[in-house]
Amino acid sequence: MIAEIGLFTLILALFVAAVQATVPLVGAARGDSTWMSVDRPAALAQFCLVAISFGALIWLHVTSDFSVLNVVENSHTDKPLLYKITGVWGNHEGSMMLWTFILVLYGMAVSLFGGNLPPGLRARALAIQGMIGFAFILFILLTSNPFVRVDPAPLNGNGLNPLLQDPGLAFHPPFLYLGYVGFSMAFSFAIAALIEGRVDAAWARWVRPWTLVAWIALTLGVAIGSWWSYYTLGWGGYWAWDPVENASLMPWLAGTALLHSCIVAEKRDTMKSWTIFLAIITFSLSLLGTFLVRSGVLTSVHSFASDPARGIFILTLLALFTGVSLALYAFRAPALRGGGLFTAVSRESSLLFNNVVLSTAAGTVLLGTLYPLFVDALGLGKVSVGPPYFNIVMVPLMVPLIVLMSIGPLLSWKRGNLADAMRRLRFAGAATAVTFAATLIVAGIGMKSILAAAGIGLGMWLLAGSVVEWAGRVRLFRIPFGESMHKAVHLPRSAYGMTIGHIGLAFILIGVSGSLAWRSEYLQVMRPGDTASLSGYQLHFTGVDDNVKGPNYMASRATFIATRDGRYVSELNPERRVYMNPPQPLSTVAIHTNFVSDLYLVLGEPDNTGGYVVHAFHNPLVPALFFGAMVMVMGGLVSLTDRHHRIGAPQRRTGGRPPEPVQKAAASAAVRKETEPRGHGKRGRYLIPFLVFAVLVGIFLYRLHLVEEGFAPNLIPSVMINKAAPSFDLPPLVDGLPGVKTSDLKGHVTLVNFFASWCGPCREDHPMLSQIPGNIRLVGISYKDRAEDAKAWLAELGNPYKAIGVDAHGQTGINFGVYGVPESYLIDKNGVIRFKQTGPLTPEIIRDKLIPLAEKLQ
């Protein structure tokens, strides 16, 4: 009955969304206040209905109702209550329910707190929200119904992926979606303004708090995801440039640009067209991320589904909302003249530079993520884009941006004085120079130390520059201290938010620089009683308890005593767990932090002689990175409490405000007057984004066609299925095992597995390799990885391979057509490729595809 209630209320929400999407919009067009007033009660009703439906799904999971297919596939009676709840959004259907719930939550918030908005703008914005809600509820009902019954009901469910049974992954998706979906409000306000034909400073002020809320949530969501990757996966890193990680980074970059652009539009009534464009692009990138993880066009450990029917539906939504929005933008944007002029040296110019760099960075990440698809669609072969590309291209973009972040706030609006700003930054320059020199003195002269010193110095430049800017606002040391504190107390909270946010970014930069340059590690087989030394710490291994029982797993728990100079520091207890449902091993990391550096410990495979592989890291300044992310979130929250946002936006400036229909007619006439004489050439420039998007949609359609025909990313061959494997000869990775060459692939059925230590999904793939039967020869190829890192990876997780080759530069991977590790190729006795799997292997793929095909090929 609960499932039926959930489904019924979701259907009712669809009809309410249809009313919300049409009636207020028609009312705004006709100037009918009665029809426009439907917007608020419709938004409230839609929220209540979706909340009931989502609550019903949560209840089904909490009570382990295995008559519902979604519960069967994602839950188990042994799961702790927290993970029964969070398992609701640990799958495609439940995650779309969460997506829709947050969407209607924002609509409800606007209906409750948007009383000061002009009725026409609010009606149009909530109508756009209603359209989005209608589309996604329809998507759920037609392709992703979470309330499907199963008969007969099984006694228990399949359980949840152990990687998702973690507090970090419990809270990461809700905050991420609060950010993704939150940008729909800026999008709705942007489209409403384009329809109305009016964008001004008051509009920017209405949009800014909603953009800020979404930015805060997305920042927190990305930070939690990075922290989860760091402390759960056991690789010592925190960002792998996975396609879905990139899908969260792109809207964050665009949203950060939008947030700064709104400031210019509000303060100076300029950059209005650009702000509208950013609002469209930011939400479109959020929709793109939804498409990528659910369509099958790209493979990632984060992917929820690879169903082409779902992919086509979401692509249709993406094409509809983004395509129509860009077309409307191309028609209206030429009329959106900026109201304020400014010189090249001004605060407006610095914020414009900020926007250009952030937008370029988002475009660069988008290009790197989708480039393999572009190349494949154009028939130019197969390529793989990995972390080296992103690391190389992002640094030159970010350095000038951070340099300007200290200078820009010291410049005046309209016309700034660069010399005066640089004079005021003398303290920041001195602090930067001292930090750079001190870092080199402490760390020594070397390329890594020089780069790290430059990064830390740049972080100090931003930190000190932010303090200098605050000191200038309160006139510290220029007036009596008491007066300065009085000014500080009455300083707008948005100013404090900016200062705190910039300081947070400075800490992130310091953390990234130190962790990349000075990480040290220890990898050895240790036996109880052994002691290892790492970066001044002594790690004494006291033993392993093999009988630790968890809620739904058994674990082997090791005990290490960390000391420094003979003094006790901490006890660390890394574990190797084996979950019952689903049956899967998982290592947990033990971390000791002193808030300057982390001691990071992973328990690896036993060596069957009483020893265990122990992988220990000393990660300097990593705590600064996560601390900085939280400081950025705090800065956003402080800014959000500014009275400027709480009292609402002012009335639009109109001399004796006429009725809205008159305003609309005047605005439309202004648009016609602006665009008729010289609109064609100017409008052509604004059509470029629409045309680029149309090409992108075409490539996605081609890709989905391949998926529908059976050539999904995990089946697209690099040299073509049923063709000979490419010629290669790779040196060995480890002593005692041979390398891999083409001739080794003949005479027996072989599975070639590409892996890398920096690859997050490879940790999900690696345990599956132990299920490969003995009649398949398993060989590995270390892909674009450092030899020492690959060896450490195998020592920690075990070595299932008969031979391992080193593809240091990725050429063999390119010849095979590797899109991204992990990838596996089944090759017959004659050296011919018969099957390709992109992404982690699963028990189902091994059981239903690999083993039957291998038996035929024997």
Side-chain angles (χ1 to χ4, degrees):
M1 187 62 181
I2 298 297
E4 285 69 30
I5 291 174
L7 181 60
F8 180 67
T9 52
L10 194 61
I11 295 172
L12 286 179
L14 180 71
F15 287 101
V16 173
V19 171
Q20 181 183 333
T22 53
V23 174
L25 194 62
V26 173
R30 297 171 53 186
D32 189 323
S33 59
T34 303
W35 283 41
M36 285 191 291
S37 64
V38 173
D39 60 350
R40 301 176 78 178
L44 287 169
Q46 189 184 180
F47 168 77
C48 293
L49 291 169
V50 172
I52 292 172
S53 182
F54 188 52
L57 183 61
I58 293 176
W59 180 259
L60 294 171
H61 276 257
V62 169
T63 58
S64 298
D65 186 344
F66 296 120
S67 68
V68 176
L69 181 61
N70 186 263
V71 181
V72 173
E73 292 179 340
N74 300 283
S75 191
H76 192 277
T77 53
D78 291 339
K79 271 202 317 182
L81 177 61
L82 173 64
Y83 303 130
K84 286 185 179 181
I85 297 173
T86 60
V88 171
W89 50 79
N91 59 88
H92 165 72
E93 293 81 5
S95 70
M96 290 311 303
M97 285 293 295
L98 176 64
W99 206 103
T100 306
F101 172 73
I102 293 174
L103 178 73
V104 298
L105 175 65
Y106 275 103
M108 182 269 294
V110 171
S111 71
L112 291 179
F113 304 112
N116 63 319
L117 293 170
L121 179 67
R122 186 187 63 227
R124 292 184 178 96
L126 286 177
I128 301 301
Q129 284 289 107
M131 293 178 189
I132 300 172
F134 178 87
F136 277 91
I137 293 172
L138 185 65
F139 170 69
I140 293 172
L141 292 173
L142 295 182
T143 71
S144 312
N145 184 0
F147 300 108
V148 173
R149 292 283 191 181
V150 57
D151 186 28
L155 295 177
N156 221 322
N158 300 333
L160 184 68
N161 187 334
L163 283 172
L164 303 181
Q165 297 185 41
D166 180 88
L169 259 291
F171 300 105
H172 163 64
F175 282 110
L176 203 64
Y177 285 14
L178 277 168
Y180 279 162
V181 183
F183 286 122
S184 69
M185 277 317 313
F187 172 83
S188 296
F189 275 116
I191 302 307
L194 286 176
I195 295 173
E196 187 179 87
R198 183 173 183 179
V199 180
D200 54 17
W203 173 88
R205 185 167 175 182
W206 288 317
V207 171
R208 189 175 162 194
W210 299 103
T211 304
L212 183 57
V213 168
W215 182 87
I216 292 168
L218 187 56
T219 302
L220 184 57
V222 172
I224 292 175
S226 180
W227 168 240
W228 169 83
S229 176
Y230 177 66
Y231 77 81
T232 298
L233 297 183
W235 62 307
Y238 40 80
W239 193 265
W241 295 107
D242 179 89
V244 179
E245 289 178 335
N246 297 345
S248 68
L249 180 63
M250 289 185 289
W252 185 88
L253 291 168
T256 305
L258 173 62
L259 194 59
H260 289 80
S261 183
C262 284
I263 297 173
V264 181
E266 178 187 344
K267 299 288 187 183
R268 296 284 298 133
D269 195 28
T270 190
M271 289 174 57
K272 295 182 291 188
S273 172
W274 175 249
T275 304
I276 291 285
F277 178 70
L278 278 178
I280 295 172
I281 291 301
T282 302
F283 181 59
S284 298
L285 288 172
S286 297
L287 289 178
L288 179 64
T290 304
F291 169 71
L292 291 178
V293 301
R294 290 170 171 83
S295 62
V297 299
L298 286 176
T299 301
S300 165
V301 68
H302 305 279
S303 295
F304 281 112
S306 58
D307 185 346
R310 290 170 174 168
I312 291 175
F313 201 115
I314 298 177
L315 182 60
T316 301
L317 300 184
L318 178 64
L320 179 65
F321 288 114
T322 303
V324 172
S325 301
L326 290 176
L328 180 62
Y329 171 77
F331 179 74
R332 291 291 204 185
L336 300 178
R337 287 183 171 182
L341 300 177
F342 54 90
T343 64
V345 179
S346 63
R347 189 174 299 187
E348 294 97 322
S349 292
S350 68
L351 289 169
L352 177 60
F353 181 82
N354 158 290
N355 272 227
V356 170
V357 171
L358 289 172
S359 301
T360 303
T364 300
V365 175
L366 177 65
L367 177 63
T369 303
L370 301 182
Y371 187 68
L373 302 187
F374 299 154
V375 172
D376 179 49
L378 296 174
L380 300 178
K382 314 294 180 182
V383 298
S384 176
V385 178
Y389 160 81
F390 295 103
N391 293 333
I392 290 171
V393 299
M394 292 299 284
V395 171
L397 287 172
M398 292 297 107
V399 169
L401 175 64
I402 293 169
V403 170
L404 195 61
M405 284 177 67
S406 289
I407 301 172
L410 299 179
L411 299 175
S412 301
W413 294 105
K414 192 173 182 179
R415 183 186 299 273
N417 188 327
L418 182 60
D420 180 64
M422 297 307 295
R423 179 185 59 79
R424 293 169 62 186
L425 285 170
R426 287 177 298 180
F427 167 75
T432 302
V434 169
T435 300
F436 180 82
T439 302
L440 288 181
I441 291 172
V442 173
I445 304 297
M447 182 54 67
K448 283 188 175 182
S449 294
I450 291 174
L451 293 175
I456 293 173
L458 200 59
M460 180 55 68
W461 164 262
L462 178 56
L463 194 156
S466 300
V467 173
V468 166
E469 192 275 338
W470 173 83
R473 284 178 179 267
V474 301
R475 303 188 67 190
L476 190 65
F477 306 129
R478 288 188 287 169
I479 59 176
F481 184 76
E483 293 184 25
S484 291
M485 292 301 99
H486 178 77
K487 284 182 173 292
V489 170
H490 293 87
L491 202 62
R493 293 183 186 177
S494 59
Y496 275 110
M498 178 195 73
T499 301
I500 295 170
H502 286 187
I503 289 174
L505 182 59
F507 276 104
I508 290 176
L509 182 59
I510 291 170
V512 170
S513 301
S515 64
L516 292 179
W518 298 316
R519 184 180 78 168
S520 56
E521 57 185 301
Y522 171 90
L523 177 65
Q524 289 291 341
V525 173
M526 296 183 67
R527 292 174 174 78
D530 289 350
T531 299
S533 297
L534 177 67
S535 298
Y537 289 94
Q538 290 74 46
L539 301 172
H540 181 68
F541 183 23
T542 64
V544 175
D545 183 353
D546 289 320
N547 298 305
V548 178
K549 191 176 188 315
N552 58 341
Y553 63 84
M554 293 296 296
S556 297
R557 178 180 297 166
T559 300
F560 290 82
I561 304 298
T563 60
R564 191 179 183 95
D565 299 327
R567 290 176 296 182
Y568 174 85
V569 174
S570 178
E571 178 181 310
L572 295 98
N573 302 109
E575 294 181 354
R576 291 186 60 81
R577 297 177 178 176
V578 178
Y579 283 80
M580 287 76 164
N581 292 285
Q584 186 172 326
L586 180 70
S587 294
T588 63
V589 178
I591 301 176
H592 167 75
T593 184
N594 58 11
F595 303 105
V596 175
S597 63
D598 286 346
L599 194 58
Y600 184 105
L601 206 56
V602 183
L603 183 68
E605 292 277 335
D607 68 350
N608 299 321
T609 63
Y612 290 82
V613 174
V614 175
H615 200 182
F617 298 88
H618 180 249
N619 293 328
L621 298 181
V622 165
L625 188 157
F626 296 110
F627 172 74
M630 294 301 102
V631 171
M632 288 184 71
V633 171
M634 182 60 65
L637 290 172
V638 170
S639 183
L640 192 62
T641 63
D642 193 304
R643 181 174 177 272
H644 181 79
H645 299 311
R646 288 184 284 114
I647 64 174
Q651 295 290 330
R652 280 174 160 167
R653 291 173 293 178
T654 58
R657 177 174 175 142
E660 182 156 350
V662 177
Q663 294 182 42
K664 179 179 180 296
S668 299
V671 170
R672 288 194 298 270
K673 182 178 179 181
E674 173 67 27
T675 56
E676 281 173 2
R678 55 195 179 102
H680 296 296
K682 193 172 183 180
R683 189 169 294 144
R685 185 173 71 227
Y686 290 98
L687 275 172
I688 293 175
F690 176 80
L691 296 176
V692 171
F693 175 73
V695 172
L696 184 62
V697 170
I699 291 174
F700 284 145
L701 281 173
Y702 168 76
R703 186 68 166 179
L704 285 172
H705 168 70
L706 293 178
V707 175
E708 212 165 17
E709 294 297 318
F711 295 98
N714 63 328
L715 297 176
I716 295 178
S718 57
V719 192
M720 301 287 289
I721 291 291
N722 299 327
K723 295 292 184 67
S727 177
F728 65 95
D729 187 354
L730 300 177
L733 173 68
V734 297
D735 297 334
L737 284 181
V740 184
K741 55 184 181 292
T742 307
S743 59
D744 297 337
L745 305 180
K746 297 183 178 180
H748 32 248
V749 177
T750 305
L751 185 69
V752 179
N753 177 255
F754 285 83
F755 69 94
S757 65
W758 46 261
C759 159
C762 293
R763 286 190 171 266
E764 183 177 340
D765 181 66
H766 198 82
M768 296 296 103
L769 299 178
S770 62
Q771 299 183 23
I772 302 299
N775 62 336
I776 301 176
R777 184 171 184 261
L778 179 62
V779 302
I781 295 181
S782 174
Y783 179 70
K784 290 185 179 181
D785 205 355
R786 295 190 307 169
E788 57 269 29
D789 290 342
K791 292 177 183 177
W793 159 276
L794 293 172
E796 175 192 338
L797 299 179
N799 183 0
Y801 303 110
K802 303 297 183 183
I804 308 175
V806 177
D807 186 17
H809 302 291
Q811 186 58 52
T812 298
I814 290 174
N815 292 340
F816 266 88
V818 170
Y819 275 76
V821 285
E823 287 196 5
S824 301
Y825 297 80
L826 189 67
I827 300 174
D828 69 14
K829 294 181 179 181
N830 298 315
V832 176
I833 298 174
R834 299 297 187 183
F835 177 82
K836 173 184 175 182
Q837 167 67 22
T838 297
L841 292 165
T842 66
E844 293 77 19
I845 290 173
I846 295 173
R847 181 187 67 238
D848 300 334
K849 295 182 178 180
L850 280 182
I851 294 178
L853 181 56
E855 290 174 351
K856 292 180 180 179
L857 298 176
Q858 291 296 339

